[in-house]
Each structure stands twice: as C-alpha cells, then as structure tokens.
C-alpha cells in the first residue's frame, strides 16, 4: 500500500490521546536525557576535575554497555509483561522514569567522581529502557501505511525538544540562575534541575498506558 500523506497521519495521531501523551512524555524524557549527556563531560571536568581522556573512556564504556543493556532489557520486559496486559508497554517506561531519579541525584551531588560515575550507570541504563516500548506502541497505534511517518514524527518531536532545548536549558541555568552563587559548580545544580524534569514523563507515560 502507498504511504499515507503527512496531513492525514497528523490528523490521525492527534485524535489518539495515547500518542499525544507518549509524544509529550518522550519530549520531556529526551530533554532531560540530552541535557545530562551533553553537559555530563563538562560536569565531570569542572566539578570532579577528571581529564578529557578519563571522561571519554569512562563515559564511553557506560554509554555503550549500559545503554545497550537498558534498551535490550526494556524491550524484553515490555514484551513479557505486555503479552498479559498491553498497558505494561507504557507502564514500564513510567516506572523507569521514576526509578532513574535517585541515580540522577547521586550522579549530580555525590562528592567523589567514582561515586558519581557509578550512579550514572543505572541512570543511563534505565534511561534507555523506554526506547523499545515507546516505538513499539507508536507503531501499534497507527495503520500499517502510516508507520514510517508516525515514527518520523515522533523522532522529530524528540529531537526538536530534547536535543534542541535540553542542552540549551542547562546552559541558561548555568549562566543566569546558579552561576553567580556556585561558579564552576553551577553545572551540578543545572544538571539536577533538568534531569528531574525527566521524572515528569512518568505521569504522562502512565496516563498513556
């Protein structure tokens, strides 16, 4: 079948409340994730005084291994639980968003670099768990000939808000909110604020379920 035109797909999606909630939740989650991962190396350099080589090696392993583990486990868990109750495809991302918060706090506030990096491992793994269930649900909400366009629309929203605003918001907080009081350590509190915004995605994902 021919691919559905973009206006038709948009109208179809906007009538699906689940998609609207998923899109809003994904935007918040990605804003938090992109903000933390983009400014994470700067945080480790300014606050924990790690060299660029140390940051690259340690974060590289964490992002590669923890991210892959989280994405695979998240997909498998969603399939296992979703077989019995389809609402688990969104309940799982909702729980993941909440469970990641304590590890984010640890990453931002713990005094030792080793403690901070250890907290980052589960934070990043949990942050990757929502990806599989999220795109699976979007594919399931639309007609077959709309699937590619629906996925592209969701990616556009995630990147526009997450990648476009997440790192920018951290920078604004550094310069205009925490900079005067905390100097080089301002990034610690900026990351904490932006990271906590990702927790709000939990409410939207739960509603979508």
């Amino acid at each position: 079948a021919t691919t559905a035109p973009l206006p038709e797909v948009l109208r179809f999606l906007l009538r699906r409340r689940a998609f609207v909630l998923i899109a809003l939740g994904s935007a918040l989650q990605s804003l938090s994730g992109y903000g933390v991962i983009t400014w994470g190396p700067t945080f480790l350099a300014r606050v924990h005084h790690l060299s660029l080589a140390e940051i690259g090696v340690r974060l590289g392993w964490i992002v590669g291994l923890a991210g892959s583990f989280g994405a695979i486990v998240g997909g498998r868990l969603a399939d296992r639980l979703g077989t019995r109750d389809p609402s688990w495809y969104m309940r799982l991302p909702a729980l993941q968003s909440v469970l990641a918060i304590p590890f984010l706090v640890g990453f931002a506030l713990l005094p030792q670099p080793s403690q901070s990096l250890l907290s980052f491992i589960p934070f990043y793994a949990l942050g990757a768990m929502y990806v599989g269930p999220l795109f699976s649900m979007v594919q399931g909400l639309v007609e077959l000939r709309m699937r590619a366009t629906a996925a592209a629309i969701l990616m556009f929203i995630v990147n526009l808000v997450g990648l476009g605003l997440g790192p920018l918001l951290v920078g604004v907080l550094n310069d205009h909110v925490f900079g005067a009081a905390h100097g080089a350590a301002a990034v610690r509190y900026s990351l904490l604020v932006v990271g906590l915004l990702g927790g709000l995605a939990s409410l939207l994902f739960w509603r979508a379920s």
Side-chain angles (χ1 to χ4, degrees), residues 94-203:
L95 293 173
Q96 160 265 310
S97 297
V98 172
L99 292 173
I101 290 175
F103 300 106
L104 166 73
V105 174
F107 175 64
L109 298 183
L110 286 173
Q112 298 299 321
S114 58
Q115 297 170 334
S116 182
L117 285 165
L118 280 174
S119 296
F120 190 73
I121 295 171
F123 168 75
Y124 200 82
L126 287 164
M129 287 181 70
Y130 84 108
V131 177
L134 184 82
F135 281 94
S136 177
M137 281 305 302
V138 170
Q139 298 293 287
L141 285 171
V142 298
E143 298 174 6
L144 181 62
R145 65 197 186 98
M146 297 179 177
R147 285 183 172 179
T149 306
I153 290 170
L154 183 64
M155 284 298 298
F156 176 75
I157 294 170
V158 165
N159 285 287
L160 183 69
V161 177
L163 192 55
L165 296 181
L168 175 64
L169 182 56
V170 176
V172 169
L173 291 173
N174 284 343
D175 292 340
H176 301 291
V177 178
F178 299 114
H182 299 285
V187 65
R188 161 176 274 163
Y189 304 101
S190 302
L191 283 182
L192 183 62
V193 170
V194 172
L196 289 174
L197 288 176
L200 297 176
S202 177
L203 301 174

